Amino acid sequence: MDALAQLPLWTTWLRASERSETTVRLREYHVRRYLNSVPMETDPLDLEWIVGYLANPRWKAATRRSTRTSLRIWTTWLHRTGRILSDPLSLIPPARASISVPRPCPDAVIRKALLSSNTRLHAMIYLAAEAGLRRGEIAVVSRDDDINELTGNSLIVHGKGRRERTLPLTDTAAAAVKRQFDLVPPEIPWLFPSAGRYADTHLQPVRVGELVNDALPGRWTAHTLRHRFATEAYRSSLDLLLVQTLMGHSKPETTAMYVGLDTALARTVVDGISLVA
């Protein structure tokens, strides 16, 4: 079986199951990257090879979980459509989701990144840090999503599970979006058009993440900009339900994992229970 030759049919099945185009592209990217890593003489469905690939020590837990999900969906499809006799991924235990501490990117780090960034990257950073958008949501922003209201600009955000939300933009984020749109030919609808393999569409979410991550130093990433938005939004409103809506989360428990500790308030509380008079 030529696994690479099967990919177009598999992605057609994904689209038929009402998965968003962003999700389809991400799943295809993961599987294609895996198949390109397999030597010619190796069976791409060899369990030990798959396990070794997923055990990459350089990957973060989220990357491993996402890649494993893509490979599992692919091998399940191969099995259920009779292309393989057994599903090798069924033998690998589900990845355990780790509970991590929120890591909002410091404003000083963001300002420094902005100083060394171009117009396109400015818009990406502002949409993540001041609007809380995921990289997949940033990638698909189009001209029709930018709404000019009496009170300021808002953005229609295309979130996970085909869920849309309308998000007010800060003046700085709105200005950054406008500057980027001014650089894009008017016949192109996307804020971040792709110039690569998918030249007729938007930049891929993976690429958006790479660009933002490269602009930030050390351990700071595009996702920590989203943590920053959640933390500041909650600090300003003290309304977790509102922040949940702004973030596009389905559960408040998820939002709570993004909100960083207000250390100044926490120190006041701790100082108040000190035994020292």
Side-chain angles (χ1 to χ4, degrees):
M1 180 191 70
D2 186 345
L4 278 172
Q6 299 285 334
L7 277 187
L9 181 57
W10 176 60
T11 56
T12 299
W13 278 62
L14 292 179
R15 292 187 178 96
S17 64
E18 289 297 317
R19 285 177 166 84
S20 70
E21 191 61 26
T22 299
T23 298
V24 172
R25 294 279 175 83
L26 177 64
R27 300 305 178 206
E28 180 192 15
Y29 167 79
H30 284 155
V31 174
R32 187 178 296 277
R33 184 174 64 170
Y34 165 71
L35 291 175
N36 287 334
S37 75
V38 180
M40 290 290 293
E41 67 278 6
T42 301
D43 179 3
L45 297 170
D46 179 78
L47 178 59
E48 291 186 3
W49 182 267
I50 295 175
V51 170
Y53 181 78
L54 292 174
N56 189 332
R58 296 189 300 274
W59 284 358
K60 294 182 179 179
T63 301
R64 182 173 294 105
R65 286 197 303 272
S66 183
T67 302
R68 183 193 182 282
T69 298
S70 297
L71 293 179
R72 179 185 55 78
I73 294 171
W74 172 63
T75 59
T76 299
W77 173 78
L78 290 174
H79 182 225
R80 290 181 177 176
T81 56
R83 288 169 169 79
I84 56 176
L85 295 178
S86 61
D87 181 359
L89 264 294
S90 65
L91 301 174
I92 304 177
R96 296 174 60 186
S98 59
I99 300 177
S100 57
V101 176
R103 293 195 300 119
C105 186
D107 288 3
V109 171
I110 301 173
R111 293 190 187 98
K112 186 174 180 180
L114 289 169
L115 288 174
S116 59
S117 301
N118 57 22
T119 301
R120 181 176 69 164
L121 199 48
H122 267 208
M124 292 179 182
I125 292 174
Y126 275 116
L127 286 174
E130 292 193 358
L133 269 63
R134 303 175 176 95
R135 62 182 186 177
E137 296 168 343
I138 294 172
V140 300
V141 172
S142 71
R143 295 185 189 276
D144 290 341
D145 299 328
D146 189 17
I147 305 172
N148 190 357
E149 300 176 312
L150 291 176
T151 55
N153 280 61
S154 295
L155 193 70
I156 298 175
V157 181
H158 305 277
K160 287 185 174 180
R162 297 182 181 273
R163 293 191 296 268
E164 293 185 352
R165 64 188 187 276
T166 301
L167 192 68
L169 293 180
T170 63
D171 290 342
T172 46
V177 168
K178 182 182 183 305
R179 288 194 298 271
Q180 172 60 17
F181 267 135
D182 288 343
L183 295 179
V184 179
E187 67 274 11
I188 296 178
W190 308 109
L191 180 61
F192 305 110
S194 175
R197 181 182 171 200
Y198 302 108
D200 61 336
T201 186
H202 54 77
L203 206 62
Q204 294 304 295
V206 170
R207 184 57 181 153
V208 171
E210 290 173 347
L211 290 169
V212 177
N213 291 352
D214 288 344
L216 298 170
R219 65 194 182 110
W220 305 112
T221 66
H223 203 60
T224 64
L225 298 183
R226 187 164 153 84
H227 283 209
R228 183 264 180 195
F229 172 81
T231 300
E232 293 302 321
Y234 182 73
R235 184 175 296 169
S236 298
S237 66
L238 298 180
D239 187 337
L240 191 64
L241 180 59
L242 173 60
V243 180
Q244 175 190 340
T245 302
L246 294 174
M247 295 284 287
H249 287 148
S250 57
K251 299 178 180 179
E253 294 86 353
T254 305
T255 306
M257 295 170 60
Y258 282 71
V259 177
L261 177 68
D262 186 335
T263 53
L265 178 60
R267 184 168 297 281
T268 300
V269 172
V270 171
D271 287 345
I273 60 176
S274 174
L275 291 171
V276 179

